[in-house]
Amino acid sequence: MRPLRAVTKFPELRFLIVLLLQCIPMLSNVLGLCSFIFLVFGILGVQLFKGILRGQCYNLEDGSVHEPTPCALAPEGGGSAVCPLGYKCLLLGENPNLGIVHFDSIGGAIMSIFQVMTMEGWNDMMYAIQDTYHPLMCLYFVLLIFLGPIFAVQLFLVVISTKFAETKESLKAL
């Protein structure tokens, strides 16, 4: 009840609350665009990176693991994480970060994209994919960073500031 009393007591706070409530229909369009970005990059991530983070270097004779880091399945493809002699890269390992970061399914891809969008730990994911697939895969992440945290957040701010200007103008007209 105290927060509601504060809203009625301070007219500026009431104005901001009303403004944010009026922005919800306009923000739903921006949220739809963000969902579309998530879906498109999720599908693209599954198509490009499905299973590559699970590659581990196994010794075929005794079954030992060389290192618990992802390896390149095809070294001629451009990945730099190559298994040493006597080891072969097999897709039998677990995905990085206790299996959370992966592009094996659309749900896991969307979670990984959300991690990129928060800009927390995305560079480790990018480096792992560069090591296992190809160095130019950084373009996927750079494009995702520009469309996600930079572009989408700006859209949210533009919608709120536009509605703020409209509401301020209508109050001055009264």
Side-chain angles (χ1 to χ4, degrees):
M1 288 307 262
R2 283 190 175 193
L4 293 177
R5 279 189 239 152
V7 169
T8 58
K9 194 172 192 178
F10 300 108
E12 295 87 10
L13 183 61
R14 182 172 182 251
F15 172 74
L16 288 176
I17 298 294
V18 169
L19 173 74
L20 289 176
L21 290 175
Q22 289 175 350
C23 285
I24 290 175
M26 293 170 60
L27 287 175
S28 66
N29 294 332
V30 177
L31 190 61
L33 178 66
C34 288
S35 300
F36 179 72
I37 291 171
F38 272 77
L39 188 65
V40 167
F41 275 92
I43 292 170
L44 184 63
V46 168
Q47 292 297 315
L48 288 174
F49 312 130
K50 185 175 185 174
I52 65 169
L53 294 175
R54 291 187 295 126
Q56 299 286 320
C57 294
Y58 286 98
N59 189 335
L60 296 179
E61 295 173 6
D62 62 3
S64 63
V65 178
H66 180 260
E67 283 184 23
T69 57
C71 60
L73 288 173
E76 61 274 358
S80 62
V82 182
C83 292
L85 269 122
Y87 288 86
K88 183 160 175 69
C89 188
L90 302 174
L91 293 177
L92 300 175
E94 188 177 307
N95 286 311
N97 296 335
L98 302 173
I100 296 171
V101 174
H102 66 86
F103 288 92
D104 297 342
S105 65
I106 192 70
I110 288 175
M111 288 298 292
S112 298
I113 289 169
F114 182 75
Q115 182 178 350
V116 172
M117 292 267 198
T118 60
M119 298 182 76
E120 188 68 33
W122 69 274
N123 55 350
D124 296 330
M125 187 186 328
M126 181 186 71
Y127 294 146
I129 288 177
Q130 281 181 320
D131 289 344
T132 57
Y133 194 62
H134 197 276
L136 288 178
M137 288 301 110
C138 66
L139 296 176
Y140 174 86
F141 291 95
V142 168
L143 186 61
L144 185 57
I145 291 290
F146 278 122
L147 286 177
I150 295 174
F151 181 68
V153 169
Q154 293 297 323
L155 279 176
F156 275 102
L157 294 176
V158 164
V159 166
I160 291 172
S161 67
T162 302
K163 193 64 175 175
F164 179 79
E166 287 175 7
T167 309
K168 198 84 159 168
E169 241 178 56
S170 67
L171 285 177
K172 283 183 181 178
L174 295 177

